[in-house]
């Protein structure tokens, strides 16, 4: 089909853009997530880098089986997994309690401002309630699970996409196609930070509390933005980007050698 390779390039550019945007959004919003759930810096670092675990474990197998599978469909499955992963990362917002900002500031040394298991807090000097400690642990589990799935879903996207284009694009156009894809990919993290700046100016519990009842402003140190909104948005984009891949053939007709530029 004429233009099939070009359409695949468009789809691949959009998918890699979305995948990198999701990863970049996590890195940009991790400090807000840390504040919201009372994680330590070490735990936040673990969450931010945990997507590399799934990626590292599977990249060798993906490279080995690359020529033995239906590459577009595997890419589509990876995109769906990225979509599911982004939604799982946002799940703590919908499954756990509201953010209690009234406990967020303390002038006392060695007293945490957010509930941490086994440590003193402002409103509960002895130790945090068991319920709050369990909420932090549940949030951590969901975030780590989402990050692991995000890394696994990302594994086949770039290797299979680039190899698929290289196999069926003409030698004259292949470098241009790959350049377009990588250009779109580099834009992803930049858009992630723009998206983050918008979402974090919305109150974290905007889905539960009317705007008129929010008693904080973004400049208040107790403010926590709607970090989860970016992941819901990314999840929707990834789901949409997955659809075309299930309609591409296992092998396309080899593109003729006519260049797209002179």
């Amino acid at each position: 089909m004429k233009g099939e390779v070009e359409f695949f390039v468009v789809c691949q550019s959009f998918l890699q853009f979305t995948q990198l945007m999701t990863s970049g959004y996590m890195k940009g919003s991790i400090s807000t997530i840390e504040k919201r759930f009372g994680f330590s810096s070490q735990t936040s670092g673990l969450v931010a880098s945990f997507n590399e675990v799934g990626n590292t474990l599977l990249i060798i197998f993906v490279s080995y089986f690359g020529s033995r599978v239906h590459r577009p469909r595997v890419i589509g499955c990876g995109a769906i997994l990225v979509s599911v992963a982004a939604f799982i990362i946002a799940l703590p917002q919908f499954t756990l309690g509201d953010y209690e900002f009234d406990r967020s500031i303390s002038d006392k040394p060695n007293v945490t401002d957010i509930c941490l298991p086994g440590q003193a807090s402002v409103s509960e000097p002895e130790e945090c309630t068991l319920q709050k400690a369990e909420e932090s642990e549940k949030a951590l589990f969901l975030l780590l699970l989402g990050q692991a799935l995000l890394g696994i879903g990302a594994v086949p996207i770039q290797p299979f996409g680039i190899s698929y284009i290289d196999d069926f694009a003409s030698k004259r156009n292949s470098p241009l196609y790959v350049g377009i894809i990588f250009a779109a990919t580099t834009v992803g993290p930049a858009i992630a930070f723009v998206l983050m700046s918008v979402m974090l100016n919305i109150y974290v519990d905007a889905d539960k509390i009317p705007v008129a009842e929010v008693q904080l402003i973004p400049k208040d140190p107790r403010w926590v933005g709607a970090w989860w909104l970016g992941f819901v948005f990314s999840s929707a984009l990834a789901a949409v980007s997955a659809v075309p891949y299930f309609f591409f053939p296992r092998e396309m007709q080899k593109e003729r050698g006519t260049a797209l530029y002179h």
Side-chain angles (χ1 to χ4, degrees), residues 21-96:
M21 183 184 72
T22 306
S23 299
Y25 187 85
M26 167 56 80
K27 290 176 172 60
S29 60
I30 190 63
S31 60
T32 299
I33 295 173
E34 176 182 335
K35 182 177 180 182
R36 169 63 181 87
F37 297 109
F39 296 148
S40 65
S41 298
Q42 293 89 339
T43 301
S44 299
L46 176 65
V47 171
S49 60
F50 205 70
N51 65 316
E52 301 296 338
V53 174
N55 194 290
T56 303
L57 290 175
L58 292 182
I59 189 64
I60 298 177
F61 297 100
V62 167
S63 301
Y64 178 76
F65 289 106
S67 61
R68 298 170 173 80
V69 297
H70 193 302
R71 285 174 289 181
R73 289 181 184 173
V74 175
I75 294 173
C77 291
I80 290 175
L81 197 55
V82 168
S83 176
V84 171
F87 186 74
I88 289 176
I89 292 172
L91 270 183
Q93 173 65 21
F94 307 108
T95 58
L96 303 181

Side-chain angles (χ1 to χ4, degrees), residues 114-162:
I114 304 176
C115 181
L116 291 174
Q119 296 186 28
S121 67
V122 177
S123 61
E124 297 164 302
E126 297 300 325
E127 65 177 58
C128 294
T129 64
L130 180 61
Q131 179 183 0
K132 291 297 181 181
E134 288 179 350
E135 284 189 357
S136 294
E137 293 173 356
K138 290 177 182 178
L140 178 60
F141 172 77
L142 290 172
L143 291 169
L144 291 178
L145 176 61
Q147 279 286 80
L149 293 178
L150 183 62
I152 293 172
V155 169
I157 292 176
Q158 182 170 305
F160 282 5
I162 298 300

Side-chain angles (χ1 to χ4, degrees), residues 107-258:
D107 296 326
K108 300 177 182 180
N110 301 320
V111 178
T112 184
D113 57 346
I114 304 176
C115 181
L116 291 174
Q119 296 186 28
S121 67
V122 177
S123 61
E124 297 164 302
E126 297 300 325
E127 65 177 58
C128 294
T129 64
L130 180 61
Q131 179 183 0
K132 291 297 181 181
E134 288 179 350
E135 284 189 357
S136 294
E137 293 173 356
K138 290 177 182 178
L140 178 60
F141 172 77
L142 290 172
L143 291 169
L144 291 178
L145 176 61
Q147 279 286 80
L149 293 178
L150 183 62
I152 293 172
V155 169
I157 292 176
Q158 182 170 305
F160 282 5
I162 298 300
S163 65
Y164 191 73
I165 291 171
D166 192 55
D167 285 347
F168 303 110
S170 67
K171 292 183 179 180
R172 300 183 67 180
N173 289 334
S174 182
L176 174 63
Y177 293 150
V178 174
I180 291 172
I181 291 173
F182 278 106
T185 300
T186 57
V187 174
I191 298 300
F193 280 91
V194 174
L195 181 65
M196 180 188 66
S197 68
V198 174
M199 299 304 182
L200 294 187
N201 275 302
I202 302 173
Y203 185 63
V204 62
D205 289 328
D207 60 320
K208 306 172 184 176
I209 302 175
V211 176
E213 296 183 14
V214 177
Q215 302 175 21
L216 301 177
I217 60 174
K219 292 183 180 180
D220 194 303
R222 298 170 295 176
W223 175 272
V224 172
W227 60 272
W228 53 274
L229 266 177
F231 291 108
V232 173
F233 178 71
S234 298
S235 177
L237 282 186
V240 171
S241 68
V243 175
Y245 287 94
F246 295 97
F247 297 94
F248 283 106
R250 181 169 183 152
E251 295 182 358
M252 287 191 291
Q253 183 178 356
K254 182 73 174 181
E255 188 180 43
R256 294 184 178 181
T258 304

